[in-house]
């Protein structure tokens, strides 16, 4: 009577083990495909812009610049001169800044572009320039998060989290299937060793 009972217990344990493994495999596959779906477009964007940034010197940009010049009214110029002090880093008076903003119409800094305003404190000449460096520069600045704003900053944070989940679930899935795929760990180790060797011996 004991042998069949022991055998039944072993079968039950094996069945429970298979059920647990099946449950975790399903969970890992679910998290893996969900994180890959979230990060898919972002990974493609960052891979392409990683290439364009790596070859920035070979990819020619076609910048376009728009210049504008106006004259500061005499009352406002007087305020600027009265506020002028050697080595002063104070901002210009608020009403002067508002007048310049209304006249020049320069938007906030944005990806792929630059802008500047100059006020001659002696003559009141206000000059400005807005430049656009094209779509490649725009995408490169998105890659770096340059002048992209708070919403894009949050997107990058969420994208990074999705990539971490995608990578870690992929690593666990590799481990769970590695018994049947003998080349798994040599390839993983090569992915670590090759960039490490390049960094240690070939980057100066």
């Amino acid at each position: 009577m004991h042998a069949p009972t022991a055998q039944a217990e072993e079968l039950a344990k094996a069945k429970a083990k298979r059920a647990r493994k099946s449950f975790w495999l399903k969970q890992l596959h679910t998290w893996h495909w969900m994180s890959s779906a979230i990060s898919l477009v972002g990974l493609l964007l960052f891979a392409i812009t990683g290439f364009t940034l790596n070859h920035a010197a070979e990819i020619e940009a076609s910048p376009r610049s728009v210049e504008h010049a106006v004259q500061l009214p005499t009352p406002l110029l007087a305020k600027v001169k009265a506020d002028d002090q050697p080595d002063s880093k104070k901002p210009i008076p608020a009403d002067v800044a508002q007048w310049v903003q209304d006249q020049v119409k320069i938007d906030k800094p944005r990806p792929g572009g630059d802008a500047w305003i100059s006020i001659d404190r002696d003559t009141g000449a206000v000059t400005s320039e807005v430049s656009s460096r094209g779509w490649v520069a725009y995408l490169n600045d998105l890659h770096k998060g340059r002048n992209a704003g708070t919403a894009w900053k949050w997107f990058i944070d969420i994208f990074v989290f999705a990539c971490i989940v995608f990578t870690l679930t992929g690593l666990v899935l590799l481990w769970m299937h590695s018994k049947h795929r003998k080349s798994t760990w040599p390839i993983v180790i090569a992915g670590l060793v090759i960039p490490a060797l390049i960094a240690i011996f070939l980057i100066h």
Side-chain angles (χ1 to χ4, degrees):
M1 297 294 293
H2 293 287
T5 303
Q7 186 178 12
E9 289 178 354
E10 290 296 326
L11 289 173
K13 288 180 180 179
K15 185 177 180 180
K17 185 178 179 180
R18 288 195 299 270
R20 285 195 300 271
K21 183 176 181 180
S22 177
F23 170 80
W24 284 112
L25 270 174
K26 288 180 180 178
Q27 290 296 315
L28 286 168
H29 277 108
T30 298
W31 283 98
H32 193 64
W33 78 256
M34 287 177 65
S35 59
S36 72
I38 292 172
S39 59
L40 176 64
V41 175
L43 278 171
L44 182 61
L45 170 65
F46 278 79
I48 293 172
T49 51
F51 177 84
T52 56
L53 283 168
N54 196 40
H55 295 272
E58 292 87 22
I59 299 175
E60 294 185 4
S62 301
R64 293 180 300 167
S65 299
V66 177
E67 297 181 359
H68 190 63
V70 293
Q71 181 64 37
L72 199 64
T74 302
L76 295 182
L77 177 58
K79 286 190 174 184
V80 171
K81 287 183 176 181
D83 199 53
D84 188 15
Q85 298 178 7
D87 301 325
S88 175
K89 295 183 178 180
K90 293 193 303 181
I92 60 176
D95 50 351
V96 176
Q98 185 61 54
W99 184 89
V100 171
Q101 177 65 29
D102 293 340
Q103 295 296 315
V104 177
K105 307 288 185 186
I106 288 185
D107 296 329
K108 293 180 180 179
R110 62 197 186 284
D114 295 290
W116 58 264
I117 299 175
S118 175
I119 301 176
D120 189 318
R121 292 179 181 269
D122 294 324
T123 65
V126 181
T127 55
S128 66
E129 181 180 280
V130 178
S131 62
S132 176
R133 292 175 281 116
W135 280 103
V136 173
Y138 178 83
L139 294 175
N140 286 346
D141 282 350
L142 289 184
H143 184 110
K144 296 180 287 186
R146 178 179 178 269
N147 297 332
T150 303
W152 186 257
K153 181 180 178 181
W154 276 103
F155 166 76
I156 290 179
D157 289 343
I158 295 170
F159 167 70
V160 168
F161 178 75
C163 287
I164 291 172
V165 173
F166 176 66
T167 303
L168 293 180
T169 53
L171 180 62
V172 177
L173 287 169
L174 284 174
W175 172 69
M176 295 184 76
H177 293 294
S178 61
K179 291 182 180 179
H180 308 291
R181 298 169 184 172
K182 302 300 181 183
S183 61
T184 295
W185 297 122
I187 294 175
V188 171
I189 292 171
L192 170 65
V193 171
I194 291 173
L197 291 176
I198 292 174
I200 292 170
F201 294 107
L202 300 178
I203 295 178
H204 303 287

